[in-house]
Amino acid sequence: MTTNEFIDYFKKTYRNRTSSFFSGLMIMISDAVALFCCVGLAFFIMNFINPSAINFRSFIYYSVFFPIILVIFYAGGLYPGILLSPSEEVRKMTIISFFCYFGICLALVFFGEDNETITGAIAENLIKDSDTWGVICAFLLAIPISAIGLPAAREFSRHIFGKFHFYGVPAVIYCTNDSAKEVVNRLIKRPDLGYKPAVIIDSAAKECYMNNGIPVFPDSAEILETIKTLKIKVAVICDFNGKRKPIMSSYRYTINISNHQDTYTSSMHLRDFGGILGFSATHNLTKRWNLFLKRLIDIDLCIIAAIIVIPLSIVIAIIIKATSPGPVFYGHKRVGKNGKYIKCWKFRSMYKNSQEMLEKILAEDPVRREEWERDRKFVDDPRVTKFGKFLRKSSLDELPQLWNIFIGEMSFVGPRPVTEEELEKYGENADYILTVTPGLSGMWQISGRSDTGYEERINLDTYYIQNWSVWLDIWILIKTVWVVINGKGAY
C-alpha cells in the first residue's frame, strides 16, 4: 500500500473523522438519559412508599438542572469519556452527582416556595404537587441509584456505540516488531474502548503490509506527513525504537505503553526527591479503614440480596433434588486469605459420582486430560447435569457463596479463590494474591473467566490488589451483571 492508497483507505474507513467530539456527544446524551432515569426511579420509589409525600411526575420539572449537571461532568473531565480509568470514572460521576443533588436539596431548604428569590414559572413548577421534604428525600435516594445507574448506562452505551463506525477515534500505533500486538488485538476486540488502530508504524518493518486489516508502514518522514495531512490526533507508542521527538511534536495526544507491566497501579502519585522524580503507589487493601469499609459494604449487600436470593435458592434446590440424586449444595475446598482453607459453597451442578467420572475421563481421554492439566476444567464437561449446565451458564450455581461472604471468608469482589493445585501455576505470585480476601467476582471474572489463561488471570488479580477502591468495586459489580447476562466464559 502506498501513502496515496492509505489516504483513500483512511477516508473511506473513517470518513475524515479524527475528532472525539461526536463520541463525547453520544456519551453525554447517554448520561442525560441515565440522569433522567435515575432521578425518575428515585421519585417513583418515594411515591410508592408514600404517595401523599411526593408526586412521581414532578421529577420532570427538575430536569431543568440536568444540563447544569452535564456541564459539571464536562468540567470534571468525564467527556469525551474515552479510555478513562473505570474506578476514576465511577468516583467522579458519584461525587459530582452527590454534590449536585445535595445542592438542589439545599436550594429547596433555603429558597422554599415562600422565598421571593425563586420566582416565575420554574419556581412554580418546582413546588407544584409536591412536598419539599419528599423531594429532598427523593434526591437523596437518587445518590446511590446514580452511583450504580450512571456508570452502568455508560458501560452499556459504549458497548452499543462501539458496534457503529461513528464511535471512536482513529489512532496511530507506533511499535517495533510485535511490541504492540497485545494493544492492537485489545483495541480490535474491544471497540467500546474508543481508540481504533488506523495505521501501525513499525520501526523494524522494511515495507508496507497488512496486519489484521490494518496497514503497517515503516517509519518514514513520508508517512508522518501523510498522517499530519489526515489530521490524526492520537499516537499510541508501544516500546517503539525509532525517533520519538517527531512523534511528540506531531500529535495532540500521545500515550506510552510498555510491555514490561511490572507495576499495575493506575493511581500513581508524583514525588520530588530534590529534583529527582519518582512515583509512589499505595496498597490500599492493607489499610484498616479500607478493610472495614469493604466488609461493611459486603454485609449490606448480603442483606439486600437475601430478599431475592433466599426464595430463588429454595426454587433451585427443589429442581436439583427433582432432576438428579444427591445433595443440593457442594462445598469445594479452596485456598483463602493468608493460605487458610475454606469451603467455597455452590449449588451442586454435577452428577453424584463426578469424581469417579473424572478419573475415568483422565485415564481414557488424552485430549481432555491435557485440557484438565492446563485449565483444571473442561469446556464441555460430561460430569455436569442438564440443569447444572443452566446453573453454570447463568452463574446461579454460585449463589450459596453469599454465605461465604456473610461470614467473612469471601468478599463480593476480589481475586477468585483458587484450589491447592492451582497455586502451583501462580508461582512466586501466590503469596501476594493470598494477602487479600478472595471474591465472588473480580477482574478475572469480568474479563472472560474461563476463556483467559493463568498468566492473564495473575495480572488481573495483581491489578485489582494494587488499584483497589470502592469505585473499582462498584465498576466490577456493574461489569459482572453484563458478563453474567452475556454468559461469556461460563461453562
Side-chain angles (χ1 to χ4, degrees):
M1 179 182 287
T2 65
T3 53
N4 287 332
E5 289 173 335
F6 170 66
I7 292 174
D8 294 336
Y9 157 84
F10 182 85
K11 290 182 177 179
K12 181 180 179 181
T13 304
Y14 296 97
R15 303 178 184 179
N16 284 333
R17 177 177 44 80
T18 60
S19 171
S20 60
F21 173 80
F22 195 74
S23 298
L25 179 62
M26 296 304 295
I27 293 295
M28 181 177 284
I29 293 173
S30 167
D31 287 347
V33 174
L35 274 171
F36 194 83
C37 293
C38 289
V39 175
L41 178 59
F43 272 65
F44 174 80
I45 293 173
M46 282 302 303
N47 179 257
F48 180 79
I49 295 173
N50 187 356
S52 63
I54 190 173
N55 185 333
F56 160 60
R57 291 176 296 177
S58 65
F59 84 93
I60 297 174
Y61 303 136
Y62 293 86
S63 60
V64 68
F65 293 108
F66 294 172
I68 300 174
I69 297 175
L70 294 175
V71 169
I72 300 175
F73 277 178
Y74 176 79
L78 287 169
Y79 301 111
I82 294 176
L83 280 186
L84 286 174
S85 169
S87 58
E88 185 68 7
E89 185 174 68
V90 174
R91 184 184 72 85
K92 286 183 176 182
M93 297 191 85
T94 303
I95 292 176
I96 292 174
S97 59
F98 168 80
F99 280 107
C100 288
Y101 296 157
F102 194 69
I104 295 172
C105 293
L106 288 179
L108 290 172
V109 172
F110 291 105
F111 304 102
E113 56 183 297
D114 296 328
N115 194 308
E116 295 181 359
T117 58
I118 295 183
T119 59
I122 293 179
E124 183 181 351
N125 285 334
L126 289 178
I127 61 174
K128 184 179 180 180
D129 297 326
S130 64
D131 178 78
T132 299
W133 290 105
V135 173
I136 290 173
C137 290
F139 272 107
L140 293 178
L141 179 60
I143 293 172
I145 294 175
S146 296
I148 301 296
L150 292 178
R154 276 205 170 195
E155 185 69 25
F156 176 76
S157 298
R158 286 195 183 102
H159 281 278
I160 299 300
F161 296 154
K163 298 177 181 179
F164 297 93
H165 67 84
F166 63 75
Y167 183 75
V169 181
V172 181
I173 311 297
Y174 283 87
C175 66
T176 299
N177 293 317
D178 292 332
S179 61
K181 181 179 178 181
E182 290 298 324
V183 173
V184 172
N185 289 341
R186 187 70 56 87
L187 292 176
I188 293 174
K189 185 180 178 181
R190 295 278 308 279
D192 59 289
L193 292 175
Y195 281 154
K196 299 185 177 182
V199 58
I200 299 173
I201 308 299
D202 185 353
S203 63
K206 302 299 182 183
E207 58 183 5
C208 179
Y209 62 94
M210 300 297 289
N211 179 6
N212 288 324
I214 303 169
V216 181
F217 282 89
D219 186 23
S220 68
E222 181 183 9
I223 187 61
L224 183 59
E225 286 302 317
T226 302
I227 291 169
K228 288 182 179 179
T229 301
L230 294 171
K231 299 181 179 179
I232 303 177
K233 300 178 177 64
V234 179
V236 180
I237 307 169
C238 305
D239 287 341
F240 180 66
N241 292 335
K243 295 181 179 179
R244 295 199 174 205
K245 191 171 182 179
I247 302 174
M248 304 306 292
S249 61
S250 300
Y251 297 89
R252 181 179 296 176
Y253 309 103
T254 56
I255 303 171
N256 285 276
I257 300 176
S258 173
N259 280 337
H260 304 289
Q261 298 277 316
D262 49 1
T263 300
Y264 300 89
T265 305
S266 63
S267 56
M268 301 184 74
H269 300 283
L270 187 66
R271 295 290 183 262
D272 187 347
F273 292 83
I276 301 174
L277 297 182
F279 294 91
S280 68
T282 303
H283 184 165
N284 288 326
L285 285 179
T286 60
K287 295 182 177 181
R288 291 184 178 181
W289 166 251
N290 290 342
L291 292 172
F292 172 78
L293 180 60
K294 187 172 174 63
R295 179 68 183 139
L296 184 63
I297 293 173
D298 283 339
I299 294 174
D300 289 342
L301 289 178
C302 280
I303 294 172
I304 295 172
I307 300 172
I308 299 175
V309 170
I310 291 177
L312 180 60
S313 297
I314 294 173
V315 174
I316 292 174
I318 293 172
I319 297 176
I320 291 174
K321 273 294 187 181
T323 54
S324 65
V328 170
F329 300 104
Y330 171 68
H332 197 263
K333 186 179 179 182
R334 299 292 179 102
V335 184
K337 184 177 180 180
N338 297 326
K340 179 183 177 181
Y341 289 104
I342 63 173
K343 270 195 174 182
C344 196
W345 292 102
K346 292 186 176 185
F347 282 119
R348 181 177 58 84
S349 59
M350 292 185 178
Y351 291 104
K352 189 177 180 180
N353 62 336
S354 60
Q355 186 59 36
E356 291 80 0
M357 294 175 68
L358 175 63
E359 293 174 359
K360 184 178 180 180
I361 291 170
L362 297 179
E364 299 177 356
D365 192 333
V367 176
R368 288 187 183 273
R369 183 173 64 250
E370 181 181 354
E371 181 184 1
W372 177 263
E373 291 173 352
R374 182 181 67 249
D375 301 326
R376 308 303 297 180
K377 61 172 58 182
F378 303 122
V379 173
D380 183 19
D381 198 331
R383 300 173 298 160
V384 179
T385 65
K386 290 183 179 180
F387 184 61
K389 290 180 179 179
F390 166 76
L391 290 176
R392 289 190 169 195
K393 191 68 176 177
S394 60
S395 297
L396 291 174
D397 62 318
E398 298 186 353
L399 285 181
Q401 288 172 35
L402 263 68
W403 174 252
N404 293 104
I405 296 172
F406 187 74
I407 63 177
E409 292 178 339
M410 291 177 61
S411 174
F412 268 95
V413 183
R416 189 68 181 141
V418 297
T419 62
E420 191 172 12
E421 295 82 1
E422 285 178 313
L423 278 181
E424 298 178 4
K425 297 182 181 292
Y426 279 72
E428 61 183 10
N429 298 286
D431 290 339
Y432 183 63
I433 301 297
L434 295 178
T435 60
V436 301
T437 304
L440 177 63
S441 184
M443 293 293 296
W444 170 69
Q445 291 91 322
I446 65 172
S447 302
R449 290 189 278 185
S450 300
D451 292 338
T452 57
Y454 274 95
E455 183 176 356
E456 185 174 359
R457 179 172 173 175
I458 292 169
N459 291 341
L460 291 169
D461 286 343
T462 303
Y463 176 93
Y464 174 78
I465 294 171
Q466 294 185 347
N467 290 275
W468 179 86
S469 67
V470 172
W471 320 110
L472 181 59
D473 276 4
I474 291 174
W475 177 74
I476 290 174
L477 291 173
I478 291 170
K479 287 280 289 185
T480 299
V481 176
W482 177 265
V483 170
V484 169
I485 291 174
N486 286 330
K488 180 176 174 56
Y491 47 80

